[in-house]
Amino acid sequence: MGLFDKGVQQTKRSFFEKLSRAFVAKSVVDEETLDAIEEALISTDMGVETTLKIIENLEDRVERDKYINLDELIELLHDEIGKLLEIDDCQVPVGYELTAKPYVIMVVGVNGVGKTTTIGKLASKFASQGKKVVIGAADTFRAAAIDQLSIWAERSGADIISHKMGSDPASVAFDTVSAAVARKADVVLIDTAGRLHNRVDLMNELTKIRNVMRRVVPEAPHEVLLVLDGSTGQNAFRQATEFSKATDVTSLAVTKLDGSAKGGVVIGIVDQFRIPIRYIGIGEGVDDLKVFDKKEYIDNLFNKEDLES
């Protein structure tokens, strides 16, 4: 089993078990079978809207092409879900193309989704490519976040800018971007508070951080990366909704997909929000933050040959 497959193994097993049960003693795709397929898709936390879109397309294709066996149905689902991810505005190159120096990435997300760890892994990835990285510990409401980032910075050789706990997050962001310019850094990673405060507070805080960074780098942030916990399923949808309203989210990292049967959330979020996924997290190691490849993801999801491994 490949590294990427770890992220879909549980989802795949649950999905294929439900599909196989739907086809017991069946020779045609009927309404009962379609209902079972719908249930199987929803169980992966793909979301109701995305699931219904797939089922409607499936009904049209089945009526037109008269697909009758499980393997043909799986191929049909592979094609339909693949189309959902082939959105023009979600064509993300593999890895980052750093279009500015420093390239400023503001990372957002609620506490507990793996945001700080994702920042640390990104710092290590960029450093391994020979990039000079500066991390801004602007989640000043959690001492643990600052401590955790300091450890990651030391491991990766990145610089870290932090103030005492309770300091103004925007002040940390300003100092971080200023230091990055002075030190000719390639990448800036700004951590932000993950508190579940109301949307107005969230919007004001993120807007203030953005505005002060722009005093130093007018285009900052070049990217707003939202980190979501894939294992929470529908809760990840709600978080994507709230953060999309609070700030201009431009890309996603979906963590904790290994061991979860809710990998369909990846498909639903891309379909509903039209925001590209940059990375998926499939483990604790630094190499387990994997560049998201849509084709590889779909091929792994529908490859049932390794389910016995």
Side-chain angles (χ1 to χ4, degrees), residues 92-264:
V92 179
V94 175
Y96 278 93
E97 292 184 356
L98 303 181
T99 54
K101 184 173 181 175
Y103 188 82
V104 181
I105 304 168
M106 184 166 74
V107 186
V108 301
V110 301
N111 292 334
V113 297
K115 176 168 57 74
T116 305
T117 301
T118 297
I119 291 170
K121 291 178 180 179
L122 282 175
S124 292
K125 281 184 177 293
F126 285 126
S128 70
Q129 297 166 7
K131 307 293 186 187
K132 183 172 179 57
V133 181
V134 179
I135 300 172
D139 182 357
T140 60
F141 296 92
R142 284 197 313 132
I146 299 171
D147 293 343
Q148 196 177 357
L149 280 179
S150 297
I151 293 169
W152 276 107
E154 187 175 348
R155 285 180 189 166
S156 64
D159 293 341
I160 184 166
I161 305 298
S162 63
H163 293 183
K164 65 182 180 181
M165 188 177 167
S167 300
D168 179 15
S171 176
V172 178
F174 179 84
D175 288 352
T176 303
V177 176
S178 298
V181 170
R183 300 172 192 180
K184 296 182 169 54
D186 298 293
V187 184
V188 177
L189 299 167
I190 302 289
D191 191 13
T192 60
R195 296 164 299 144
L196 283 170
H197 42 347
N198 71 58
R199 191 188 306 151
V200 174
D201 286 347
L202 176 65
M203 188 178 298
N204 289 342
E205 186 171 289
L206 296 178
T207 299
K208 184 178 178 184
I209 289 172
R210 183 193 65 204
N211 288 344
V212 299
M213 290 194 297
R214 287 181 175 175
R215 294 179 193 167
V216 185
V217 177
E219 303 83 19
H222 302 95
E223 185 157 354
V224 178
L225 177 69
L226 171 61
V227 181
L228 298 171
D229 179 347
S231 70
T232 63
Q234 291 303 300
N235 197 33
F237 274 91
R238 287 190 286 274
Q239 291 169 23
T241 299
E242 292 304 307
F243 276 94
S244 294
K245 289 174 181 175
T247 191
D248 183 21
V249 176
T250 59
S251 63
L252 302 171
V254 183
T255 66
K256 306 183 185 181
L257 281 176
D258 54 312
S260 170
K262 299 181 178 182

